[in-house]
């Protein structure tokens, strides 16, 4: 009776390979869960992989499910994955044999209700607020009366018509409309591009740069307004150099763009009212100010006229003011004839006294002195010319001596240069002869080395070289057959022969590669003296 412990139990169950079992499990799971909707929180999301695919997990309080979004589907997702976001993932369940795990291949992502959207918006709001994008000191007041107003909205909706109608009622202005989609997947990108596009307009260019921007949209659900809460739109609003008014939705609708904008309007119509004042009110106020200005001016003139009359009564009369000057003028008129006569007599007396100091003898004396000075200069002129001539002659003599010394120096330098050139020519010839001798010696050495390495030397020692009919050397007897024409080269000539029998088959040689003949080393050249140069003396 056989030992039950030594024998294995007999079974008719088939043997599965790992790949077969993995494939069967994969088909079973995919057939049972072909298309599912899974609700959970995104975990472990770090952005798309370098390949373009996205890998993360969906989890709840008790379980965790691996998820993957392929590259082609990721670009078409309406809702992009974010860490901690509660979503509903639509896709199919499959297995990954490489890790013996199952996963969901996501084809579409949706928010898991309004609570998930609010949680996502609250997290994004806190993160952007921490960066300072909602700080009050960043906000600016729009200009009181802008010349150009830029509006970012849909060109076909009722919003733009309400804004234009309200602007025309209050104060007509030049309006530029940048058409965008106000909901959908491309809404955020188009709105941020429009805001940056308005800011990129150069002042004074062909398209006027707006003084204030209005981002407007009508009311809608929380999902419809998500485009105005995207991070790219909020950053574009915060970076805008043009003051911006947010008018998205009704008064109860709140988006993240409202916190980054300089002003928030409850409705698009209210945004138009914030952008411009009422023209009729301005006209009435200007008219009122003009009337007040005229009344104030009239009252000022009346007050100054009254003050002038009061001051005029305090001034003395013209006769009282001119009485003393008039009396002084009469007294001066009475003294004037006598004063004129006395002044003329005094000047006549001074002229008489001065006349005695002038006469012909004064001019004669001055002329005699000038004549004597001229005679003295004429007497000194020949001596001055002689001294000047001698000084110039001395200077010319010195210059001639220096020129002769310079010429002699130049001749000496040319002579020394000629001697040096002759010396260099002699040394060059000597160097050329020495170099020719050295190169001849090197050539003789190379010729001897060539002779030593030539096969002619081997033939001279009694060996022979066998060639085939093509002139190629024959290295082994195994390659010769009966009747082959051969040629044997000896030291003193060549002899043509014919093989009479084939060589016996050689036994197989051991698998040892033939040693390559050692390369002949060049014989060292004899020591050569250093080549002289042109600068050797």
């Amino acid at each position: 009776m056989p030992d039950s412990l030594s024998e294995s139990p007999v079974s008719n169950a088939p043997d599965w390979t790992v790949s077969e079992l993995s494939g069967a499990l994969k088909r079973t799971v995919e057939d049972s869960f072909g298309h599912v909707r899974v609700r959970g929180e995104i975990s472990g999301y770090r952005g798309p992989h370098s390949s373009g695919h996205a890998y993360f997990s969906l989890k709840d309080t008790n379980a965790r499910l691996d998820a993957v979004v392929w590259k082609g589907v990721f670009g078409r997702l309406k809702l992009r994955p974010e860490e901690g976001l509660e979503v509903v993932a639509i896709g199919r369940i499959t297995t990954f044999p490489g890790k013996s795990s199952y996963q969901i291949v996501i084809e579409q992502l949706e928010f898991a209700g309004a609570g998930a959207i609010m949680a996502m918006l609250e997290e994004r709001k806190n993160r952007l607020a921490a960066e300072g994008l909602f700080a009050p000191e960043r906000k600016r007041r729009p200009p009181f009366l802008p010349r150009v107003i830029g509006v970012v909205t849909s060109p076909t909706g009722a919003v733009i018509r309400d804004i234009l109608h309200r602007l025309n009622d209050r104060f007509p202005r030049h309006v530029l409309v940048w058409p965008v989609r106000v909901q959908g997947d491309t809404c955020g990108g188009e709105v941020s591009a429009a805001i940056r596009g308005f800011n990129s307009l150069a002042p004074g260019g062909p398209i006027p740069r707006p003084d204030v921007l209005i981002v407007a949209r009508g009311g809608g659900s929380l999902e419809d307004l998500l485009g105005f809460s995207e991070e790219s739109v909020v950053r574009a609003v915060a970076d805008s150099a043009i003051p911006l008014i947010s008018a998205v939705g009704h008064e109860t609708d709140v988006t993240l763009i409202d916190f980054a904008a300089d002003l928030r309007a409850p409705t698009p119509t209210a945004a138009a009212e914030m952008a411009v004042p009422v023209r009729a009110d301005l006209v009435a106020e200007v008219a009122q100010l003009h009337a007040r200005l005229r009344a104030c001016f009239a009252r000022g003139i009346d007050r100054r006229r009254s003050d002038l009359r009061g001051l005029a009564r305090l001034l003395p009369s013209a006769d009282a003011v001119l009485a003393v000057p008039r009396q002084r003028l009469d007294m001066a008129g009475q003294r004037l004839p006598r004063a004129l006569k006395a002044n003329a007599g005094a000047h006549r007396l001074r002229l008489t006294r001065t006349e005695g100091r002038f006469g012909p003898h004064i001019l004669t004396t001055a002329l005699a002195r000038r004549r004597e000075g001229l005679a003295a200069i004429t007497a000194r002129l020949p001596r001055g010319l002689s001294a000047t001539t001698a000084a110039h002659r001395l200077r010319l003599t010195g210059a001639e001596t220096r020129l002769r010394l310079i010429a002699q120096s130049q001749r000496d330098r040319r002579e020394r240069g000629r001697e040096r050139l002759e010396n260099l020519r002699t040394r060059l010839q000597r160097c050329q002869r020495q170099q020719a001798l050295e190169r001849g010696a090197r050539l003789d050495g190379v010729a001897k080395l060539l002779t030593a390495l030539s096969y002619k030397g081997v033939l001279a020692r009694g060996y022979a070289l066998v060639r085939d009919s093509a002139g190629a050397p024959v290295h082994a007897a195994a390659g010769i057959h009966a009747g082959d024409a051969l040629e044997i080269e000896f030291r003193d000539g060549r002899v043509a022969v014919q093989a009479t029998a084939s060589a016996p088959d050689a036994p197989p040689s051991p698998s040892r590669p033939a040693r390559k003949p050692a390369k002949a080393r060049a014989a060292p050249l004899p020591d050569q003296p250093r080549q002289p140069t042109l600068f050797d003396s």
Side-chain angles (χ1 to χ4, degrees), residues 332-343:
Q334 293 175 3
R335 294 195 303 269
L336 182 59
R338 294 194 302 272
L340 288 177
K341 292 179 180 180
N343 188 27

Side-chain angles (χ1 to χ4, degrees), residues 322-405:
L322 298 177
V324 176
R326 185 181 293 115
Q327 187 177 1
R328 292 176 59 189
L329 179 61
D330 293 340
M331 294 177 63
Q334 293 175 3
R335 294 195 303 269
L336 182 59
R338 294 194 302 272
L340 288 177
K341 292 179 180 180
N343 188 27
H347 281 82
R348 187 180 295 106
L349 179 61
R350 290 179 57 189
L351 182 59
T352 302
R353 293 175 181 176
T354 305
E355 181 182 4
R357 296 198 300 267
F358 292 96
H361 65 279
I362 296 176
L363 297 178
T364 304
T365 304
L367 183 60
R369 285 199 301 269
R370 297 294 178 85
R371 188 178 290 109
E372 292 176 359
L374 181 60
I377 292 173
T378 305
R380 292 197 305 268
L381 183 61
R383 294 195 301 272
L385 291 176
S386 301
T388 303
T389 303
H392 283 79
R393 185 178 294 108
L394 182 60
R395 290 175 59 188
L396 290 176
T397 303
E400 181 182 5
T401 304
R402 288 195 299 272
L403 289 176
R404 289 178 180 177
L405 292 176

Side-chain angles (χ1 to χ4, degrees), residues 80-136:
R80 296 301 173 91
E82 292 187 13
E83 181 69 18
L85 183 63
E86 187 175 0
V87 296
V88 174
I90 304 173
R92 52 188 178 85
I93 300 296
T94 183
T95 64
F96 180 52
K99 293 177 59 178
S100 298
S101 62
Y102 65 96
Q103 61 187 9
I104 179 173
V105 179
I106 297 177
E107 299 174 355
Q108 187 178 352
L109 279 179
E110 298 177 355
F111 284 106
I117 300 177
M118 294 302 296
M120 183 269 293
L121 292 180
E122 186 65 24
E123 184 276 332
R124 185 178 296 171
K125 174 185 174 183
N126 295 333
R127 177 163 50 83
L128 296 177
E131 297 182 16
L133 299 185
F134 304 153

